[in-house]
Amino acid sequence: MTPSEFETLLTSYTSGTCSQEERELVESWYTHAAEHSDMPPLDAAELAFYRQKIWNGLEQPQPLHAESHRAGRKLWLKFAAAASVLIAVFAGYQFLGHKSPKPKLTAVRTAPDILPAANKAFLVLPDGREVNISNLTEGTVAQFGHMTVRVKGKGVISYKIHPSVRAADRDIWYTIKTPAGGQWPVVELPDGTKVHLDAASSVSFPLSFAGRRTVSMTGQVFFQVVHDESRPFHVRANGIDIEDLGTDFNVKAYPDEQEVETTLVEGLVRVSKDTRKVMLVPGQQAVSRSKDARLERRQADVIGVLAWKNGVFHFDHTSIEEVMQQLARWYKVEITYRKDVSEVTFTGDLPRNLKLSRLLEMLSVTGLRFKVDGRKIEVTN
């Protein structure tokens, strides 16, 4: 069976139109491939990760009868995510098991292993001082300048204005930022909007949304905006303005990348750059490039875009330079190259909670070698 034939089978599987025999084929194949493929062997935790990711979506693949469009779309995304994992694993199995010998694991480590990113963030006060909010325990209520911060749960913080703040001080801006090697699951803004920050990212906001709701950001941030028809929510990112009317959307705007990507999951947004404007519907993406004035609209791989938020690295024929760039942010490491690797790509989903050495072992199927010295990684072919 070819990968395209298997993808067709998975499509009928996830839509609930496959036969019992076909269903048993898919499920038995996964069990066999997970335990007997020639890929670098998975330990118990990693095997559980892939199995759970698939079974969560495919345990009951009957036709969907959602109560609403929103619920139906979320169920569809869940099934599509599981199918994409099976397809990626199948493609890797075909390549490794039938087209080439098992590669040597070539991640060479000369220092203690590096752990994945953890919940770590800083609150930047108007005077430039930084407060490590990662040290605040659940239930803590702390006063920072005119802001009262409350830790509502693990990785969840909210803030409100101190009652004594004068009207003139309500436009003072604060920033919450994550370093390389850090992330922050949820920041609740005063209007109820929730913000999720990836590694090396930031969101800046005024003390109060007294008038127009506007924030700015860098890096990669997922927004769950509370609807307020009288006050649209605006996000500014590297020359782009995103106007939202009650929506879930993702913005990727790292300063060291050439593109700003806005991906819409639910609702409606208007993306503007200079005089250009595009409207997005769910499943679409607006792309702006720093080298020109264009603003393009295209269909998005929503599952892939949101993978980071769900604890997964998602790569689809991704250049090894981009793969390593993501690892540099997540593990807080520096990447160097001894030879040209511009033609090397990688496809697959990998857990973000792996130690660095284990993840590099998985990437070694590309034929590359990785030498780790402290927080420096040298890549060569």
Side-chain angles (χ1 to χ4, degrees):
M1 183 182 295
T2 66
S4 62
E5 291 171 335
F6 191 70
E7 184 171 355
T8 300
L9 174 59
L10 285 177
T11 300
S12 62
Y13 184 97
T14 56
S15 66
T17 59
C18 67
S19 66
Q20 181 64 27
E21 182 180 7
E22 289 172 327
R23 174 176 176 168
E24 291 174 355
L25 174 62
V26 171
E27 295 175 354
S28 64
W29 176 85
Y30 168 73
T31 301
H32 174 81
E35 295 176 349
H36 299 94
S37 79
D38 288 334
M39 290 182 286
L42 302 177
D43 62 27
E46 293 159 2
L47 186 58
F49 166 85
Y50 286 111
R51 275 187 169 148
Q52 189 62 46
K53 185 174 175 63
I54 292 170
W55 297 146
N56 279 349
L58 301 182
E59 191 174 13
Q60 294 180 334
Q62 286 82 25
L64 302 179
H65 299 287
E67 295 180 359
S68 67
H69 170 75
R70 183 183 180 92
R73 181 172 181 79
K74 288 188 175 181
L75 285 171
W76 177 84
L77 291 174
K78 189 177 183 182
F79 287 134
S84 70
V85 175
L86 276 173
I87 293 167
V89 173
F90 178 75
Y93 177 70
Q94 288 287 92
F95 174 76
L96 293 173
H98 302 286
K99 294 187 179 180
S100 65
K102 182 177 179 179
K104 295 181 179 179
L105 302 185
T106 52
V108 180
R109 186 172 71 251
T110 61
D113 210 345
I114 297 175
L115 298 177
N119 290 347
K120 187 174 184 179
F122 296 88
L123 172 65
V124 183
L125 305 179
D127 61 7
R129 287 181 296 148
E130 296 186 1
V131 178
N132 187 348
I133 60 177
S134 322
N135 295 332
L136 302 179
T137 58
E138 184 174 349
T140 298
V141 178
Q143 184 75 31
F144 301 110
H146 300 302
M147 176 188 292
T148 300
V149 174
R150 179 185 300 274
V151 183
K152 301 177 67 174
K154 186 176 181 180
V156 180
I157 64 169
S158 64
Y159 79 91
K160 64 179 181 179
I161 306 172
H162 193 275
S164 63
V165 175
R166 300 175 303 170
D169 293 328
R170 291 175 180 262
D171 196 37
I172 296 175
W173 282 57
Y174 290 75
T175 297
I176 291 180
K177 67 177 185 179
T178 57
Q183 65 169 347
W184 198 259
V186 181
V187 177
E188 290 187 3
L189 302 180
D191 65 341
T193 292
K194 295 181 180 179
V195 180
H196 309 251
L197 284 80
D198 198 359
S201 302
S202 71
V203 60
S204 299
F205 45 87
L207 189 60
S208 171
F209 289 136
R212 171 170 160 159
R213 297 185 296 168
T214 300
V215 302
S216 63
M217 54 84 55
T218 63
Q220 181 158 231
V221 180
F222 182 77
F223 293 88
Q224 293 176 289
V225 179
V226 172
H227 178 66
D228 185 343
E229 188 173 351
S230 64
R231 295 188 305 162
F233 191 93
H234 289 259
V235 178
R236 294 173 180 169
N238 196 19
I240 298 297
D241 180 83
I242 302 144
E243 181 182 353
D244 166 77
L245 299 173
T247 294
D248 294 354
F249 62 98
N250 191 84
V251 183
K252 186 180 181 185
Y254 281 104
D256 57 350
E257 294 187 357
Q258 297 298 311
E259 295 184 344
V260 176
E261 297 177 351
T262 303
T263 306
L264 183 60
V265 179
E266 292 290 342
L268 182 70
V269 297
R270 178 188 295 112
V271 182
S272 305
K273 180 180 182 180
D274 299 327
T275 60
R276 296 165 179 79
K277 301 179 187 292
V278 297
M279 296 292 293
L280 299 183
V281 298
Q284 290 185 334
Q285 182 179 79
V287 180
S288 167
R289 295 176 177 81
S290 58
K291 62 183 179 181
D292 56 47
R294 288 183 297 172
L295 184 61
E296 298 179 1
R297 178 174 51 205
R298 64 190 184 193
Q299 290 301 120
D301 172 13
V302 177
I303 297 300
V305 169
L306 298 185
W308 71 270
K309 184 173 170 288
N310 297 316
V312 178
F313 286 113
H314 175 79
F315 303 116
D316 184 6
H317 297 92
T318 306
S319 71
I320 201 66
E321 290 102 328
E322 184 177 341
V323 171
M324 299 309 294
Q325 189 176 46
Q326 291 192 38
L327 300 194
R329 298 187 190 114
W330 190 243
Y331 291 95
K332 195 179 180 180
V333 293
E334 179 183 335
I335 312 296
T336 58
Y337 300 90
R338 286 188 59 187
K339 294 185 178 180
D340 179 25
V341 296
S342 59
E343 295 186 1
V344 181
T345 63
F346 179 79
T347 296
D349 285 2
L350 302 175
R352 276 184 148 201
N353 62 356
L354 297 180
K355 292 182 179 180
L356 178 61
S357 62
R358 184 60 182 151
L359 191 139
L360 293 179
E361 284 183 356
M362 292 182 166
L363 290 178
S364 69
V365 299
T366 60
L368 295 176
R369 295 175 58 86
F370 306 92
K371 181 179 179 181
V372 183
D373 184 4
R375 289 193 171 272
K376 296 182 179 180
I377 302 176
E378 183 181 77
V379 183
T380 182
N381 57 2

